[in-house]
Amino acid sequence: MQQPAPNTNRNVKLQKKLPLVLTGKLLPGIFLLIITILYSRQLAYSDYGKFQTVWVLTSLAGTILSFGLPAIILATPSPMLVRYLKEHRSAITTGYCVLLLVAMSLIWLSTSDFSWYLRAMVALFIVLQTACIIGETRLIKYNSLRQYVVINGAYAVIFFSVHIYFLYHSFSLEKLVTVTSLLSAIKLACLLLVKNDHKLPEDNFIKISFIKNWMYTGINEVTGIVTRYLDKVFLLFLLTPADFAIFYNGAFEIPLFAVVISAIENVMLSNISEDVSNKTEAKNIFRESFKMLSLITFPVFFFFLFFHTETYRFLFD
């Protein structure tokens, strides 16, 4: 009986894994997009500006705090990752304390019109969100994808319901951030409770410049997010919340592209990490991943190229 080609097996694996990862990422993204549309139409400009300030800081400070760790978890062979984290625990802890200080300083300086309690809750929410992203990465790494989709789907539905409740009752950003922080803590607990049955091979230790890869990945991600949000961070200091709300809607990015790219990156890196020494297989994975990415992003790109005005008016007019 003829055995299927390894490349065919890998393509089938990519095609099975991608829809689950994409679903797990799209559900929260779609609900957050709907929330953004509803809040932009219903809230006062000042309240909406403060609400979006929280999400700008979540994206920026969260990326600083994670510093490329999710990508490193996906791209690094499991034996090496576990061994390195154990052997360099104190150095990693020190590094993350510095990153935490930088992220918290950014939050504190950017929210001068927030109460002390709200500042503290925003900081807690961002830490929990970052931890959840790392927890989700662990499930993707070890192919616990059904649990990943169920947890993210349940979280997205409850997250959406909480925002709708506060929108149509008395809106309070402090209460909203408090409840969503509690929800994120519950999600994190669920992610950590998922058992990992993946066995680590003892004799498959591949020597890679781990710390160099981590530094490059972290610097690349932080530079990318700072480039995207630098204008918004400066305007947080210069504009009132009401003016910032108008600017934010004018500079709004449709999250579909970022979600699709993130899902394909996660699947691609986790598959490559299974055999990092096989350069031919890595090239095949890159090729197939970009084919799938092109099938999604090019049609969407051309749709928004020709219908961007109508889309913006429909969402925010």
Side-chain angles (χ1 to χ4, degrees), residues 178-195:
T178 301
V179 174
T180 51
S181 296
L182 177 61
L183 182 59
S184 296
I186 295 171
K187 177 184 176 181
L188 178 60
C190 293
L191 291 169
L192 295 177
L193 286 173
V194 176
K195 292 183 178 180

Side-chain angles (χ1 to χ4, degrees), residues 39-253:
Y39 272 41
S40 69
R41 294 181 175 188
Q42 300 291 333
L43 290 182
Y45 283 158
S46 58
D47 288 334
Y48 179 67
K50 290 180 180 179
F51 172 76
Q52 289 299 354
T53 297
V54 173
W55 284 106
V56 168
L57 291 174
T58 299
S59 298
L60 186 55
T63 303
I64 293 172
L65 196 54
S66 64
F67 200 71
L69 182 57
I72 286 296
I73 291 173
L74 289 170
T76 306
S78 300
M80 180 182 182
L81 179 64
V82 172
R83 194 171 304 183
Y84 188 90
L85 293 177
K86 286 181 178 178
E87 292 176 355
H88 300 83
R89 190 175 303 167
S90 60
I92 293 171
T93 302
T94 302
Y96 269 94
C97 285
V98 174
L99 292 172
L100 180 63
L101 180 62
V102 173
M104 294 304 105
S105 299
L106 174 64
I107 295 167
W108 205 259
L109 293 172
S110 304
T111 54
S112 57
D113 53 340
F114 285 16
S115 67
W116 283 57
Y117 175 79
L118 182 54
R119 284 175 165 180
M121 292 311 302
V122 169
L124 177 62
F125 174 70
I126 291 172
V127 171
L128 289 170
Q129 283 289 100
T130 305
C132 284
I133 291 172
I134 295 171
E136 291 172 12
T137 304
R138 169 180 167 268
L139 298 192
I140 296 172
K141 173 78 171 179
Y142 297 122
N143 292 316
S144 302
L145 297 180
R146 294 189 186 279
Q147 297 93 321
Y148 167 73
V149 172
V150 169
I151 292 172
N152 263 17
Y155 172 82
V157 171
I158 300 172
F159 181 87
F160 178 74
S161 302
V162 167
H163 279 75
I164 294 300
Y165 174 82
F166 280 104
L167 176 61
Y168 291 107
H169 292 73
S170 57
F171 179 78
S172 168
L173 187 59
E174 289 187 358
K175 293 179 180 178
L176 176 61
V177 176
T178 301
V179 174
T180 51
S181 296
L182 177 61
L183 182 59
S184 296
I186 295 171
K187 177 184 176 181
L188 178 60
C190 293
L191 291 169
L192 295 177
L193 286 173
V194 176
K195 292 183 178 180
N196 170 29
D197 298 325
H198 187 82
K199 303 297 182 182
L200 297 178
E202 296 295 333
D203 57 350
N204 190 28
F205 183 66
I206 303 170
K207 292 184 178 179
I208 304 174
S209 181
F210 182 89
I211 191 63
K212 185 183 291 186
N213 289 346
W214 193 348
M215 289 297 295
Y216 287 159
T217 303
I219 292 171
N220 178 65
E221 290 196 359
V222 171
T223 303
I225 201 72
V226 167
T227 302
R228 284 176 58 195
Y229 284 98
L230 188 61
D231 57 339
K232 296 180 178 68
V233 172
F234 275 116
L235 291 176
L236 285 176
F237 294 97
L238 300 175
L239 299 180
T240 64
D243 291 335
F244 180 76
I246 297 171
F247 170 81
Y248 186 89
N249 275 5
F252 183 75
E253 298 178 10

Side-chain angles (χ1 to χ4, degrees), residues 25-26 28-34 36 228 252-262 304 315:
K25 289 184 176 294
L26 272 178
I30 290 172
F31 278 120
L32 184 58
L33 176 61
I34 296 172
T36 301
R228 284 176 58 195
F252 183 75
E253 298 178 10
I254 301 296
L256 179 62
F257 289 106
V259 170
V260 171
I261 291 171
S262 175
F304 286 122
L315 293 179

